[in-house]
Amino acid sequence: MPLDTTGRCFGALVVFDPCPGLVDSPAFTDVVGALTRTVLLDPDADPELYGGIDHRDLVQQAAGMVSVHIGRCVDDALALIKARAFSQGVPLETFARGIVAGELKLISEGPS
């Protein structure tokens, strides 16, 4: 079953159908729609759905920027962003937005 939104497929849901006809039912279609919205739109979607990788574009962009700034891999930068957001009680997406907008720096530039 394709997971799509506005005509763009981003994945598929594979299901063993023990009761023929389940996949074609309205209830199953509702479940697929709910999964699609959860994966794409929920700001608190479980990153474990993606094998520990957070696929939200804004968060990934912030992680790339921090990675370059601190000279470490993207996974380390993402961990730093998540830790800082959590410690400050700020939603991850809000924190990432501040980084991308240049309003927030995780590491001071130091004296020149």
Side-chain angles (χ1 to χ4, degrees):
M1 185 70 152
L3 298 176
D4 61 20
T5 179
T6 25
R8 295 183 64 190
C9 182
F10 69 91
L13 177 64
V14 179
V15 177
F16 171 72
D17 188 354
C19 305
L22 174 68
V23 172
D24 294 324
S25 71
F28 188 76
T29 302
D30 290 344
V31 169
V32 170
L35 285 171
T36 302
R37 286 186 303 279
T38 298
V39 170
L40 285 179
L41 304 175
D42 184 3
D44 296 317
D46 183 358
E48 293 305 314
L49 288 172
Y50 311 108
I53 299 171
D54 192 326
H55 283 274
R56 288 172 279 176
D57 293 343
L58 187 65
V59 173
Q60 287 299 311
Q61 184 178 1
M65 292 170 69
V66 171
S67 171
V68 169
H69 185 72
I70 65 174
R72 301 290 301 260
C73 70
V74 173
D75 287 342
D76 289 348
L78 184 57
L80 178 61
I81 291 169
K82 286 180 177 183
R84 283 289 180 89
F86 176 78
S87 70
Q88 294 180 14
V90 176
L92 181 59
E93 192 168 305
T94 302
F95 199 79
R97 186 174 291 110
I99 293 169
V100 171
E103 300 165 353
L104 181 62
K105 299 237 186 273
L106 296 181
I107 310 256
S108 67
E109 298 293 330
S112 350

